[in-house]
Every structure is written in structure tokens, then in C-alpha cells.
Amino acid sequence: MQVNFYQSRPIYEQIIDEIKKMLVRKELQPGDQLPSQRELAQQINVNPNTIQRAYREMEITGLAESRRGLGTFIISEQDLIKDLKEEMAQLATQNFISEMKSLGFEAAEIEKWVKQNQGINEKKTPGGEGNE
Amino acid sequence: MNENNPVITTENLHKRYGRTAALQGISCQFPRGKITGLIGPNGSGKSTLLKLIMGLIKADRGSLNIMGHPPGRKNKANIAFLPEINNLYRSMSLQELIDLYHSQFSTFCPETARELLSFMNLQPEKTVKQLSKGMVGRFKLILTMARRVPLILLDEPLTGIDIKSRSNILEGLISKFNPEEQTIILSTHEIIETERYFDHVIFLEDGAVSLQGDADDLRAEYGQSIQELAKEVFV
């Protein structure tokens, strides 16, 4: 896990967000064991109490569960990834629309901008042709 | 607060030096098992508060309770703080100073000192005289953290120290911090690098508490970093 923390948001929330992203990117699977609190604290250079808070919050919201003597595990829920993807897509879309509206764009124009930028993050094909 | 069992409680604490009021009625609590950042500009009273906690000076008025006792001899063995490495010790090697500390403190763990020496890339046979300021800062942290005690006080551990040594010090601190048995208080006016490690913060200005609370809760409540909050709080 590599995180650069924005200090203006609770750090434990950012840790949870990063774990969610790892699940969506398939770097983590449902049912996987998370590193011990101490290990993760060392890995990402954070106060172990902050990791404890992140893990506890994930248990409360049902994203993870603690198994006594073994550690903390992501739940093995079938639809977990799908649900997370939806949750994160919703948030990203809302932020984007909010931003565009604040620039004065209306719905139809916003849609046009999305279409125009569909291919923007795709790799260029060999032969040097960019994507439109 | 760690379920209302704070490791230190102060109530209306006053301390004056001559005509200067260093602490003007401080009431605050330091939560057990957490890292508390004691934040404030120079002259705000941070060092005074830490010296009171260490029992080096006495308050004029008010109460101060540390691990169930007033400051003094009962707590001495349980509190570690950054040492002054004065001229007397400068010709000694790091290993000699470690051995000295070991002989003085029963809770000193040479294994921890060894691990930290290696982590910080310091050679035990070097003398203090041969070290840069940053290295001395790192070594002081090693001597402090090698004492496995319930309360650790770090008064401005980063001041005047180069950036690489600072992150070394903070990482070394985190690596040896055991929240189940230890509490750390770190005073500083350099918030940018330190705030990520704080569970709890207490803002001191002109001898009074301006703001205190859980660091992440404050970030959520104000939508700002502790650094940004401090800029607003300290007018």
C-alpha cells in the first residue's frame, strides 16, 4: 500500500479508502487477511492507533471482520467488489458533476465532455497513433 | 479519551517565572496509550508543562496528576525524556553512553537500542563529538525509546535537525511505540511533519489551552489539517 496522506481529511478514512481501491483494483480479494495493525503501521509509516481505528471502522461498517487469534479479514462477500465499485463510482461522478456545474456547464454539455474524453487514459497503440 | 483513564490530568495549573506567567490555569488531559502533540509557538508554555510533569519544577497553583500520583519521586522511574548530552559526555562513544544508560535505568532495553542504532545507521563506536547535529538528535531518541517505560516526553525533538534525520526520528519513534503500554507526549511548533502521528493534540498559546481534541476528529470537524487549524488558532 502506498499512500500520500492529505492532512485535511481524517487519516484513518484515507486508509480505508485505499483498501477499498485495492479491492476494486483486485490487488486485494474478498476474504483476504489484512496485515496486522503493527505491520501496516510500519509499512505506511503511520501511528498504530490510526490503523486500529481504520480496522475498527471497517468492522463496524461490515467491510472487514476480526477473527480472534488470527487477525482482521476482508469479508468474503460475493458482491463486495461490485458494491464498492458502485459506491466509489457514485462518489467520483458526483464530485465531477459538482465541479462541472460550478464551472457553469449544464447536463447536456457535461455529457458531451464525458464522451469526448472516453479514450483519454488509454495507452497509445504501437505505431504511435493516439486514441481519439 | 481512553475511556476516562487519562495518563495525565491537569486542573487550573499555574506557573510563573518572576513576572512572566508561563502557564495561566491549564486544564487538560493526556489520553493513555496515545501520542499527543503539544503544539504551540515558542514561549507558549510547552516546555514549562513538560518540566512540571517531569517534576523538575513545581507549580504555583492547581493540580497535576500523573499515572495516579502528583509529580515527583514515585513517577521518576516511569517517565523517559530526551537527554541533555552535555560536554561531559561528548567524548564518550555511543556504545559507552548506551552502557551508561543501561546501568542507570532498570527498564533500559539494550536490544531496542541496538535495533534503533541499526535502523538509524549510527555506528556505536563513534563518539558524540564526531556526530552531526542530526545524528545526535537521532541518538537522543534512541536513548529515550530504549527505556521501556509507560510515559515518554519529547520536548522539541526535531528542532534544528535536518529533514532526513527528522523522518528517521519519527519513524524510529513509531516503530518502538507500544500503545498497549506506553503514552507519548511530543511538543513541537513544527506541525507539518508531525501531525500525521498524533492521536490527540493540545494547542497551547500564551500559557493557555486554545484547542484540544482527537486529531482525526478535528480534521473531520474543521475540514482542515492540524497545521491549517493552528494557523487560524494562533492569531
Side-chain angles (χ1 to χ4, degrees), chain B residues 18-50:
Chain B
R19 302 181 70 190
T20 315
L23 292 180
Q24 309 198 54
I26 302 264
S27 299
C28 63
Q29 295 181 319
F30 292 86
R32 191 176 296 265
K34 309 283 187 194
I35 299 180
T36 295
L38 188 57
I39 295 172
N42 289 324
S44 52
K46 310 191 296 290
S47 284
T48 303
L49 180 53
L50 291 181

Side-chain angles (χ1 to χ4, degrees), chain A residues 7 11 38 45 47 49 53, chain B residues 177 197 199 216-217 219:
Chain A
Q7 310 278 33
I11 298 180
R38 181 143 273 290
N45 189 25
N47 184 333
N49 287 318
R53 191 167 179 180
Chain B
F177 168 53
Y197 301 103
D199 292 297
D216 267 349
D217 287 349
R219 289 186 184 101

Side-chain angles (χ1 to χ4, degrees), chain A residues 5 7-13 38 41-42 44-50 52-53, chain B residues 33 35 171 174-175 177 179 192 195-197 199 214 216-217 219-220 223-225:
Chain A
F5 294 110
Q7 310 278 33
S8 50
R9 281 189 63 212
I11 298 180
Y12 81 91
E13 279 182 11
R38 181 143 273 290
Q42 294 279 82
I44 61 176
N45 189 25
V46 147
N47 184 333
N49 287 318
T50 309
Q52 184 183 66
R53 191 167 179 180
Chain B
I35 299 180
E171 286 174 39
I174 282 291
S175 75
F177 168 53
I192 296 183
E195 67 164 283
R196 68 189 277 144
Y197 301 103
D199 292 297
D214 177 280
D216 267 349
D217 287 349
R219 289 186 184 101
Q224 293 182 301
S225 67

Side-chain angles (χ1 to χ4, degrees), chain B residues 201-204 208-213 218 221-222 229-230 233-234:
Chain B
V201 291
I202 297 177
F203 289 69
L204 272 193
V209 175
S210 333
L211 185 63
Q212 58 182 314
L218 286 172
E221 185 179 339
Y222 291 94
L229 251 185
V233 160
F234 301 131

Side-chain angles (χ1 to χ4, degrees), chain A residues 52-67:
Chain A
Q52 184 183 66
R53 191 167 179 180
Y55 281 17
R56 207 177 335 125
E57 186 65 26
M58 289 192 292
E59 287 168 39
I60 290 173
T61 57
L63 178 56
E65 63 195 358
S66 156
R67 295 186 206 156

Side-chain angles (χ1 to χ4, degrees), chain B residues 117-185:
Chain B
L117 269 178
S118 159
F119 174 78
M120 302 223 181
N121 255 314
L122 292 174
Q123 282 139 335
E125 66 280 1
K126 289 257 191 280
T127 63
V128 175
K129 260 199 298 219
Q130 295 175 292
L131 301 185
S132 68
K133 199 159 182 217
M135 291 169 169
V136 173
R138 287 187 252 157
F139 184 62
K140 286 185 181 182
L141 197 269
I142 294 178
L143 287 180
T144 313
M145 294 307 289
R147 288 184 62 194
R148 307 306 294 161
V149 292
L151 180 58
I152 296 177
L153 307 178
L154 303 170
D155 193 358
E156 307 261 11
L158 308 179
T159 302
I161 292 186
D162 66 276
I163 294 186
K164 182 121 205 295
S165 292
R166 287 181 184 197
S167 50
N168 223 216
I169 286 171
L170 292 168
E171 286 174 39
L173 172 71
I174 282 291
S175 75
K176 291 304 176 194
F177 168 53
N178 181 0
E180 276 163 38
E181 291 175 355
Q182 296 184 307
T183 302
I184 297 183
I185 302 175

